[in-house]
Each structure stands twice: as structure tokens, then as C-alpha cells.
């Protein structure tokens, strides 16, 4: 008996899927008078993307990005409990088909909240294969789909990154692994994602050293590991130039978690590391609010320092919890925190190639599909409101004037000559010894300034 030729019978196209979200139309700007109703449960009250803020459209000042990992990969799992979200593309099934389903839902979310950018790790978008070659092929396949969806929708890539921390091969580090073969594997993985990011016209490429640190110094050659990390970063920068990638390479500081100590501890540490490796004009920082808190800093401190050092790159917007000392990655919802952070961003000249990436995850009990929409849209509106407050702070100039007056002495000939190195330590000492009057302390007026800032809300 002859078997029927396979080519004559084509598989039936998959049945159309029901939309994942209940919102059909993109969320619109309606202004502060907007009242929610059954037809339109949410509208932007502050995020008016075309409104000009300091000469730029709000969309360009804020450059919002949705992150792939928390929103579409995260399952709601915590150290004590299993998945709670039950996304249809999770669980058993063909992993590539699931990746494509996930991509459809992701681009639907971008459309509905009107997010201009997104971010991803290679492992978020496509399944890991049996070999690196296969994994890379999967990533490229999904990236091709992204490319088409991006040109259809106008959504852009804020940054891509490689996941060098989930697989057990990286348990002792990627670039800082005691085994050079793991270093090589990580390099191969980064090469692929950097090239994919370049092809998708990403504005930046991020390196977060999740496992680049140590659990105990007892088994760690710290000096050697730092040298490995420096070499790795140089390789990435060399390859960036070789392929002509014009985006910014960013390091994302974090002091700990998952490891006890991470080498990219905070902005100051990263700057020292860049200097030591001659990369301070090549690489900038992606600062995350919750990471700043874990390092014992405020978000605005890290932004101000990065601006002062000339390495400010981009922001991962989220927030930690006052009582929990770990990376809770909550969606930002504290107006004052956002406003003072945006004030530092604007003072530094804005986001440049960076953006506001919501590296934030839904709480474990927020299990409805629409919770993803609510979380992003409300966070976007809050950030827009924070931007407007920051604009007022900047335009009002009262804070800037206070600071200028406080440092006015350094603008005099005397102050300038000291800074220019025209006076020696001995000369300064002689001058002071000749004087009879002490310098007079002046108030820092902190409470008054805090009151001033409260008035901007
Ligand atoms: C981890 C973290 C990462 C980076 C990208 O705390 O923030 O998701 O943003 O690897
Ligand atoms: Co982050």
C-alpha cells in the first residue's frame, strides 16, 4: 500500500487565540479631569506623550520600556511557593510556539499601554537549546519576528542583554568563573545578543553581573576575577566597534543578590573599575532604584554621582520596600521619590540613549492578565507626573539658586585659584595663620529646602 504524499495535506492553521487582555484600545491621555468608567477604566492623567517638557516631547523625555523578563517570563514564584500566574505560554508545550505566543502578547501590551520601547534577555525571548548554536538560532528566530513586529508598530528596543546567571554553568560566575571555558561560553552568548541588539537597532546593550561576585572569599581569587571581568568588558567593547554598534554599553550596578558580594557594587565602584580598565569613556551605567537602596544609597544619589562622573546611561525604574531588605522590584508608586530622581536626570541633561525601563514585577497575588496593564500604565502616569514636578523644580530655580549661593565662594578669584592648583598647601597654611578671623559657618537650611520641595507637589 502506498502512503499518501505528505505535501498534499497541509496542517490546519492554528485557531485564532482570544485576546489576552480585556482592554481592546490603547490607553489614552485624558487629563486630570478624567473619571474612570465602564467603557474606559483607565486613562493617562499626566502622560501626554506629545506635551513638550523642557523642549522635548514627554515620550522622548521618558522613553518608557517594558521589560520582557518580569512581565512575560515571571511566574509569580517565590522561594516558598510555586508559580501563581498561569500564563498560557508557560508550562508544557512546544517551547518555540510558546515563545511566539509570548511575543504576540508582549507586543499587545506595548500597544495597549503605548510603551515606545522594550528590553529583553536572550533567554526571555526564546528557549535554550541543546547547544549554544541551537540556543542562538532560537534567539535569532524570535528576533526576526520582533523585527517585523517592530516595523509594524514602531516599538523600539531600548536594550538587549544576555542572561549569564540562570543556567547552572554560571553558578560560579560567567566572566569571573574559575573555568576559562565558562568565560568563553559567556563571551559567545554575549556576541550573539550584542549582534541581535545591533540588528534590531537597540539604543543600548546592558551587562548585569548577576553571578560576577563571590559567596565566600575562602574559595575566591578576587584579584584574578577582577582582571577577568576587565578583559571580558574590553572584549565586548571591541566587538561593539567591530560590528559598528552605535548604542551605549551599560553596566548595571548591584551590590549583592544573587551573590553575597557583586563586583559591580554601585556607581562609584563601577567607575573605579572602568577607570582601572581604561573604559570610562566607553561604558556607562544603568541605575536601578532597588539596587541603589541595597547599596545603602538613594536612587537620586546614584543618578547624581553618575552624572558627576560622566557615566550616566539609563534607569531601571522600580522601587524597594522600606521593611524588606531585598530586591522586591515593585512598580514605582512613590511620587516624591520619582520626582527627585527625575530632577537629577533633567539636571544632568536628560536620558540620552537611555530610558525608563520598568524592571518591576507584579506581586504574586496579582494574577489577572490586566494586572500587567494596570501596573505599567499607572507607573507610566506616575513617572510622567514626577517628570512634571521635576520640570517645575528646575524652572523655578529656587533650589539651584540656593546651591549656587552656597558655593559662591568657589566662583571668586580666590576659590578658582585654589582649584586651579595655583596655591600650595604651605601657602594656604601661611595665609590662614596670618588671618585673625575664622571662616563663619552658614546654615545648610535643610528643613526649609524640604518644605520648598514639598510645595512643588
Ligand atoms: C536583576 C536585574 C536584571 C537586570 C538585567 O536584579 O535588575 O534584571 O536589569 O539583567
Ligand atoms: Co535591572
Amino acid at each position: 500500500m502506498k502512503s499518501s504524499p505528505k505535501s498534499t495535506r497541509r496542517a490546519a492553521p492554528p485557531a485564532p487565540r482570544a485576546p489576552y487582555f480585556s482592554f481592546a484600545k490603547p490607553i489614552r491621555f485624558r487629563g486630570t479631569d478624567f473619571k474612570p468608567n465602564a467603557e474606559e477604566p483607565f486613562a493617562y492623567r499626566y502622560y501626554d506623550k506629545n506635551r513638550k517638557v523642557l523642549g522635548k516631547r514627554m515620550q522622548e523625555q521618558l522613553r518608557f520600556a517594558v521589560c520582557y523578563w518580569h512581565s512575560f517570563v515571571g511566574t509569580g514564584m517565590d522561594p516558598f511557593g510555586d508559580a501563581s500566574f498561569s500564563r498560557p505560554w508557560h508550562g508544557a508545550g512546544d517551547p518555540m510556539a510558546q515563545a511566539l505566543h509570548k511575543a504576540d502578547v508582549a507586543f499587545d501590551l506595548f500597544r495597549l499601554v503605548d510603551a515606545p520601547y522594550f528590553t529583553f534577555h536572550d533567554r526571555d525571548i526564546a528557549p535554550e537549546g541543546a547547544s549554544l548554536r541551537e540556543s542562538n538560532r532560537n534567539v535569532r528566530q524570535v528576533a526576526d519576528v520582533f523585527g517585523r513586529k517592530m516595523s509594524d508598530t514602531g516599538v523600539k528596543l531600548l536594550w538587549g542583554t544576555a542572561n549569564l546567571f540562570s543556567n547552572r554553568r554560571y553558578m560560579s560566575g560567567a566572566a569571573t568563573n574559575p573555568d576559562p571555558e565558562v568565560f568563553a561560553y559567556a563571551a559567545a552568548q554575549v556576541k550573539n545578543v550584542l549582534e541581535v541588539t545591533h540588528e534590531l537597532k537597540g539604543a543600548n546593550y546592558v551587562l548585569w553581573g548577576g553571578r560576577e561576585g563571590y559567596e565566600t572569599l575562602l574559595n575566591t581569587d578576587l584579584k584574578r576575577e577582577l582582571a577577568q571581568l576587565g578583559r571580558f568588558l574590553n572584549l565586548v567593547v571591541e566587538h561593539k566597534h567591530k560590528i559598528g554598534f552605535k548604542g551605549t554599553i551599560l553596566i548595571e550596578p548591584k551590590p549583592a543578590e544573587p551573590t553575597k558580594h557583586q563586583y559591580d557594587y554601585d556607581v562609584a565602584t563601577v567607575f573605579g573599575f572602568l577607570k582601572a580598565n581604561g573604559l570610562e569613556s566607553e561604558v556607562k551605567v544603568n541605575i536601578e532604584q532597588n539596587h541603589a537602596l541595597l547599596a545603602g544609597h538613594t536612587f537620586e544619589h546614584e543618578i547624581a554621582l553618575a552624572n558627576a562622573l560622566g557615566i550616566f546611561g539609563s534607569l531601571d525604574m522600580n522601587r524597594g520596600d522600606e521593611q524588606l531588605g531585598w530586591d522586591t522590584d515593585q512598580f514605582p508608586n512613590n511620587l516624591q521619590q520619582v520626582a527627585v530622581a527625575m530632577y537629577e536626570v533633567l539636571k544632568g541633561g536628560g536620558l540620552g540613549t537611555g530610558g525608563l525601563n520598568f524592571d518591576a514585577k507584579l506581586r504574586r497575588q496579582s494574577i489577572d492578565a490586566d494586572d500587567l496593564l494596570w501596573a505599567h500604565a499607572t507607573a507610566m502616569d506616575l513617572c510622567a507626573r514626577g517628570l512634571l514636578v521635576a520640570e517645575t523644580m528646575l524652572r523655578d530655580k529656587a533650589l539651584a539658586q540656593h546651591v549656587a549661593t552656597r558655593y559662591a565662594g568657589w566662583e571668586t578669584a580666590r576659590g578658582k585659584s585654589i582649584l586651579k592648583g595655583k596655591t600650595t598647601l604651605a601657602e594656604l597654611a601661611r595665609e590662614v595663620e596670618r588671618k585673625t578671623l575664622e571662616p563663619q559657618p552658614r546654615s545648610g537650611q535643610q528643613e526649609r529646602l524640604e518644605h520648598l520641595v514639598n510645595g512643588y507637589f
Side-chain angles (χ1 to χ4, degrees):
M1 205 173 87
K2 266 190 183 172
S3 60
S4 63
K6 276 186 197 144
S7 55
T8 55
R9 197 174 287 183
R10 295 182 67 198
R17 287 191 296 257
Y20 190 57
F21 302 107
S22 81
F23 288 45
K25 284 195 231 137
I27 292 167
R28 284 190 292 181
F29 168 72
R30 296 283 201 183
T32 47
D33 293 338
F34 171 75
K35 299 267 178 309
N37 55 73
E39 283 276 282
E40 200 173 9
F42 183 81
Y44 291 122
R45 291 155 60 91
Y46 300 92
Y47 183 50
D48 177 6
K49 66 179 178 182
N50 293 318
R51 174 171 172 175
K52 284 270 176 74
V53 174
L54 300 170
K56 264 194 222 162
R57 290 168 62 237
M58 235 184 184
Q59 188 181 59
E60 264 309 292
Q61 283 287 14
L62 293 163
R63 297 165 63 87
F64 289 125
V66 174
C67 90
Y68 224 86
W69 52 103
H70 287 311
S71 293
F72 312 113
V73 183
T75 61
M77 218 165 99
D78 74 8
F80 300 93
D82 295 338
S84 61
F85 293 160
S86 332
R87 308 266 182 234
W89 54 91
H90 290 163
D94 169 28
M96 270 316 269
Q98 286 175 327
L100 298 176
H101 185 176
K102 187 161 61 171
D104 287 346
V105 173
F107 275 78
D108 210 27
L109 178 72
F110 309 156
R111 175 182 72 89
L112 290 170
V113 300
D114 200 6
Y117 292 91
F118 72 113
T119 56
F120 67 83
H121 299 84
D122 48 359
R123 295 294 165 265
D124 304 335
I125 66 168
E128 181 145 17
S131 64
L132 183 71
R133 197 187 287 265
E134 199 182 304
S135 304
N136 288 352
R137 210 170 34 231
N138 293 346
V139 170
R140 282 191 174 275
Q141 212 174 312
V142 176
D144 286 346
V145 173
F146 280 179
R148 285 196 290 279
K149 286 179 179 292
M150 288 164 73
S151 61
D152 288 351
T153 60
V155 172
K156 291 185 256 183
L157 178 62
L158 185 66
W159 47 265
T161 186
N163 179 330
L164 306 178
F165 44 87
S166 294
N167 192 292
R168 72 192 280 278
R169 84 173 67 83
Y170 294 126
M171 70 180 185
S172 309
T176 62
N177 200 286
D179 180 355
E181 293 314 321
V182 178
F183 179 107
Y185 201 106
Q189 208 180 312
V190 169
K191 175 182 176 287
N192 186 60
V193 197
L194 184 59
E195 288 171 3
V196 166
T197 301
H198 178 42
E199 281 160 33
L200 293 176
K201 302 191 173 61
N204 308 272
Y205 181 85
V206 164
L207 293 136
W208 169 61
R211 304 269 172 201
E212 314 293 23
Y214 61 78
E215 289 300 329
T216 170
L217 271 180
L218 296 177
N219 65 12
T220 303
D221 184 341
L222 186 143
K223 187 175 176 189
R224 187 189 294 274
E225 290 199 1
L226 283 173
Q228 290 171 214
L229 197 56
R231 185 83 280 273
F232 194 88
L233 191 56
N234 265 296
L235 288 174
V236 176
V237 170
E238 278 160 28
H239 197 69
K240 164 198 158 151
H241 290 302
K242 188 168 167 224
I243 63 176
F245 177 57
K246 296 281 178 281
T248 315
I249 304 279
L250 301 172
I251 288 188
E252 183 173 323
K254 187 176 182 181
E257 203 194 320
T259 69
K260 177 182 168 64
H261 174 86
Q262 284 175 211
Y263 297 130
D264 303 330
Y265 197 95
D266 59 3
V267 169
T269 314
V270 168
F271 183 70
F273 172 77
L274 294 177
K275 273 272 192 198
N277 290 283
L279 291 171
E280 71 274 17
S281 55
E282 288 282 0
V283 178
K284 293 183 160 54
V285 279
N286 180 40
I287 302 169
E288 178 164 328
Q289 197 268 5
N290 210 158
H291 298 181
L293 295 192
L294 295 178
H297 305 304
T298 59
F299 195 23
E300 60 271 23
H301 163 89
E302 290 289 79
I303 299 167
L305 184 60
N307 272 327
L309 298 170
I311 56 166
F312 176 77
S314 193
L315 295 181
D316 268 10
M317 284 310 267
N318 58 21
R319 79 173 169 86
D321 184 283
E322 285 79 10
Q323 283 148 293
L324 304 175
W326 67 87
D327 199 6
T328 57
D329 282 339
Q330 285 158 261
F331 278 86
N333 65 6
N334 180 317
L335 178 60
Q336 183 139 3
Q337 281 176 0
V338 170
V340 293
M342 290 313 295
Y343 178 62
E344 292 302 331
V345 170
L346 293 180
K347 270 205 305 179
L351 285 164
T353 66
L356 301 187
N357 173 46
F358 293 114
D359 189 353
K361 62 180 176 225
L362 292 173
R363 298 305 90 189
R364 187 172 148 73
Q365 297 173 58
S366 303
I367 57 172
D368 293 347
D370 282 353
D371 286 320
L372 274 173
L373 285 175
W374 282 97
H376 282 92
T378 52
M380 285 166 66
D381 217 28
L382 181 90
C383 291
R385 195 172 167 190
L387 175 77
L388 293 173
V389 173
E391 181 194 29
T392 309
M393 286 167 75
L394 211 69
R395 279 195 192 284
D396 185 55
K397 295 195 175 78
L399 275 175
Q401 265 158 15
H402 177 89
V403 175
T405 309
R406 195 162 183 240
Y407 293 88
W410 288 100
E411 292 300 322
T412 62
R414 162 74 164 156
K416 283 183 180 163
S417 86
I418 294 178
L419 276 194
K420 278 196 186 129
K422 301 221 163 108
T423 355
T424 67
L425 201 67
E427 280 163 358
L428 287 172
R430 261 199 308 279
E431 287 165 16
V432 173
E433 278 161 17
R434 273 205 298 272
K435 286 189 180 159
T436 46
L437 280 181
E438 283 262 325
Q440 291 304 300
R442 278 177 299 148
S443 171
Q445 302 182 333
Q446 182 170 336
E447 296 75 7
R448 198 173 147 182
L449 294 177
E450 285 166 349
H451 170 73
L452 172 76
V453 169
N454 281 340
Y456 294 123
F457 290 91

